[in-house]
Amino acid sequence: MKAAKQTPLLMCYGKTPYTPGSYLERALRNIGTPVDTVEKEVDFAKIDLGKYKAILFVESPARPPVVVANRNLVKIPVIHWIHHGENRLDTNLELVAAYRPDLLLMSHSLHLAPLFSTSVEFFPFGADPHIFRSDIPLPDRTIDIAFAGSHTSIYAERDANLRSMETSLSQRNCSFRKRPYLEKLSELYGNSKIVFNQTADHIKTFNMRIFEGMGCGALVLTDDTPEQSRLFQDGKHYIIFHSTEDLLEKARYYLDHLDEAAKIAAAGHKHVLKAHTYEHRARQLLELF
């Protein structure tokens, strides 16, 4: 017997290979949901809305926002997924006013939810196990601690901690200055014992690096943010540090006790694959409809 054909979803977002929207689009297709995409502008008077189950707008800061015309013609569910907090609040308030979603999905910063004139659901990032994976046992990995990310002024505290690790752990093999993406980033994390993560100085929002590090089977050593505890448990799935001294102490400890590091890293990896891949997010999205 043939499986019932699923109704397509229309995704509207500026696509890049590494935006969360691209991961989610791929995951929707992987679970059998057809997806049509619009990247620049959408006029709902020129679209057969009857063929779609819903419309999903996705925040994509690297591209101009999708321009919308004739939003009043849309009678199917409209959902908007945003990935930033205070640093793009004004822009996202404008986009919500333009897109008029029936439901707003937020990856974090739920304390901002009352500012939006629509219902809000927590919809965090996930891991793409087709990209972020590794078969190298943790003790056999050649990089002790890895980090990949920006070095702009909003990350002054993070940069200070990176410099502290470079000085205090100078005998260790660390990789802190590369900016790889996708498969190259997976290769870096997949050959690292520890993946270091720290958020911006004044905007504490947990990010994709946690999922990517865990997806590659590394021990994630991270600062704390409000929504993390909804998904992960400190000391079980990853390790949280609270100061520079705590960071250095925990980095040394787990590099000297790789059996404990491997146990926590394995638990984090298993937990992500069980509950926090983008296929899980895709199924969550369909349930919302």
Side-chain angles (χ1 to χ4, degrees):
M1 179 183 296
K2 282 188 176 181
K5 186 177 180 180
Q6 292 198 38
T7 307
L9 176 72
L10 179 63
M11 288 187 68
C12 304
Y13 72 108
K15 189 182 302 189
T16 68
Y18 42 82
T19 185
S22 292
Y23 295 134
L24 183 61
E25 179 188 339
R26 186 161 50 246
L28 284 162
R29 297 182 194 278
N30 288 344
I31 66 171
T33 299
V35 178
D36 290 342
T37 60
V38 173
E39 296 188 35
K40 295 182 179 179
E41 56 185 53
V42 56
D43 184 347
F44 291 115
K46 299 179 180 179
I47 288 179
D48 179 9
L49 292 169
K51 68 180 285 192
Y52 297 111
K53 71 174 68 180
I55 297 166
L56 175 64
F57 289 94
V58 183
E59 180 186 5
S60 305
R63 296 286 187 269
V66 174
V67 177
V68 173
N70 292 302
R71 166 65 180 85
N72 59 299
L73 298 178
V74 181
K75 306 303 179 184
I76 58 176
V78 176
I79 294 179
H80 182 32
W81 182 25
I82 64 174
H83 308 141
H84 292 77
E86 284 92 340
N87 57 327
R88 278 180 56 86
L89 178 59
D90 290 344
T91 298
N92 280 323
L93 286 169
E94 292 174 2
L95 291 177
V96 167
Y99 299 157
R100 285 180 279 156
D102 302 295
L103 181 64
L104 181 65
L105 306 181
M106 298 182 68
S107 294
H108 49 69
S109 303
L110 295 180
H111 63 284
L112 300 177
L115 300 178
F116 294 94
S117 57
T118 189
S119 299
V120 170
E121 287 277 347
F122 180 42
F123 194 80
F125 302 119
D128 187 333
H130 308 287
I131 296 176
F132 293 97
R133 62 185 189 273
S134 176
D135 297 324
I136 305 175
L138 190 136
D140 296 339
R141 299 183 179 196
T142 61
I143 300 170
D144 290 310
I145 307 179
F147 167 81
S150 300
H151 297 275
T152 56
S153 59
I154 64 171
Y155 299 110
E157 294 175 8
R158 186 169 76 188
D159 277 352
N161 278 337
L162 288 169
R163 290 192 297 270
S164 293
M165 285 192 288
E166 286 173 327
T167 300
S168 300
L169 304 173
S170 59
Q171 302 305 310
R172 301 288 188 173
N173 183 17
C174 300
S175 176
F176 296 152
R177 304 298 168 182
K178 296 179 179 179
R179 288 296 303 275
Y181 294 97
L182 298 173
E183 287 81 3
K184 291 296 183 181
L185 181 59
S186 178
E187 289 177 14
L188 174 64
Y189 290 165
N191 194 30
S192 300
K193 299 178 180 76
I194 294 176
V195 167
F196 166 72
N197 178 60
Q198 186 171 349
T199 50
D201 294 357
H202 304 294
I203 302 176
K204 297 300 179 184
T205 57
F206 84 100
N207 53 41
M208 295 170 63
R209 194 178 294 108
I210 292 178
F211 297 94
E212 293 163 350
M214 287 191 192
C216 290
L219 174 65
V220 173
L221 181 55
T222 181
D223 62 346
D224 198 9
T225 62
E227 286 91 13
Q228 282 176 211
S229 60
R230 294 191 179 201
L231 307 183
F232 306 114
Q233 185 176 333
D234 182 25
K236 181 178 181 180
H237 302 124
Y238 62 176
I239 298 297
I240 291 175
F241 68 87
H242 302 283
S243 66
T244 300
E245 294 73 20
D246 191 37
L247 166 64
L248 296 174
E249 180 180 342
K250 287 175 176 174
R252 292 190 193 98
Y253 178 85
Y254 285 104
L255 289 175
D256 290 336
H257 298 80
L258 288 180
D259 54 337
E260 294 184 42
K263 182 178 179 180
I264 297 170
H269 182 247
K270 181 179 179 181
H271 181 60
V272 161
L273 293 182
K274 183 179 179 180
H276 299 299
T277 68
Y278 276 102
E279 278 79 6
H280 291 103
R281 299 291 178 262
R283 292 186 177 93
Q284 286 177 245
L285 180 69
L286 297 184
E287 288 174 5
L288 292 173
F289 299 144

